[in-house]
Amino acid sequence: MLEITDLSERFLEETAKLDAAVFPESPWGKDAFSENIRNAYDHPVIALEDGEPVGYGILRQIDDGEILLIGVSAEKRGKGIGKEILSALLSRADREKGIFLEVREGNTAARRLYENAGFTEIARRRNYYKDPQEDAVIMKL
């Protein structure tokens, strides 16, 4: 059974390991996740399946909202977990201010997820990502 809940110190180590597997080119790291838990403007969540971390996400709400990160373990992709994480983050957001995110141009699964949630492309950052080099697509809800 899938449960989406606020990220806590209890799952920091596992979340950092999962993040390093999902995004090996730029892992967020345990210290960053710890900071996300402690500050008042970040809303990190974790997806647990039978008590085990299978995904995570972070919404930052300072003025506008920004989806900073969504990750799902490779073996659990395609099962709707990313959609559930996104839904949980959006439920914590102040939608009147606008919600933004950026995604690799070549990450078609993530782009489809965001488009299905109502996000639209508003801009690009040319050659923003490395390994491989590609554009960042900026999207807004």
Side-chain angles (χ1 to χ4, degrees), residues 6-24:
D6 293 335
L7 180 61
S8 68
E9 297 281 337
R10 175 179 175 211
F11 291 107
L12 278 181
E13 192 72 42
E14 293 162 299
T15 304
K17 287 179 184 175
L18 179 57
D19 182 61
V22 172
F23 297 110

Side-chain angles (χ1 to χ4, degrees), residues 7-131:
L7 180 61
S8 68
E9 297 281 337
R10 175 179 175 211
F11 291 107
L12 278 181
E13 192 72 42
E14 293 162 299
T15 304
K17 287 179 184 175
L18 179 57
D19 182 61
V22 172
F23 297 110
E25 72 281 359
S26 60
W28 204 252
K30 184 179 173 183
D31 290 342
F33 283 112
S34 182
E35 177 66 24
N36 297 129
I37 289 171
R38 290 192 310 269
N39 69 49
Y41 47 83
D42 286 345
H43 307 281
V45 299
I46 186 163
L48 303 169
E49 190 172 74
D50 300 321
E52 296 297 318
V54 294
Y56 55 91
I58 302 169
L59 165 74
R60 175 164 288 163
Q61 185 84 54
I62 296 176
D63 191 15
D64 296 333
E66 183 179 4
I67 304 292
L68 297 180
L69 200 57
I70 293 179
V72 176
S73 66
E75 60 274 2
K76 298 294 181 176
R77 291 184 192 143
K79 298 182 180 196
I81 295 170
K83 181 179 179 179
E84 292 296 324
I85 293 169
L86 179 59
S87 178
L89 294 175
L90 293 177
S91 75
R92 290 159 168 80
D94 179 353
R95 291 180 179 225
E96 290 182 22
K97 306 270 184 169
I99 309 295
F100 296 85
L101 59 82
E102 67 185 39
V103 61
R104 278 183 179 271
E105 179 181 37
N107 191 341
T108 55
R111 289 179 64 190
R112 191 174 324 111
L113 169 70
Y114 301 137
E115 288 166 358
N116 288 340
F119 283 85
T120 57
E121 180 178 335
I122 60 166
R124 288 180 179 245
R125 289 188 176 117
R126 299 285 175 211
N127 301 315
Y128 180 78
Y129 291 106
K130 309 294 182 237
D131 298 322

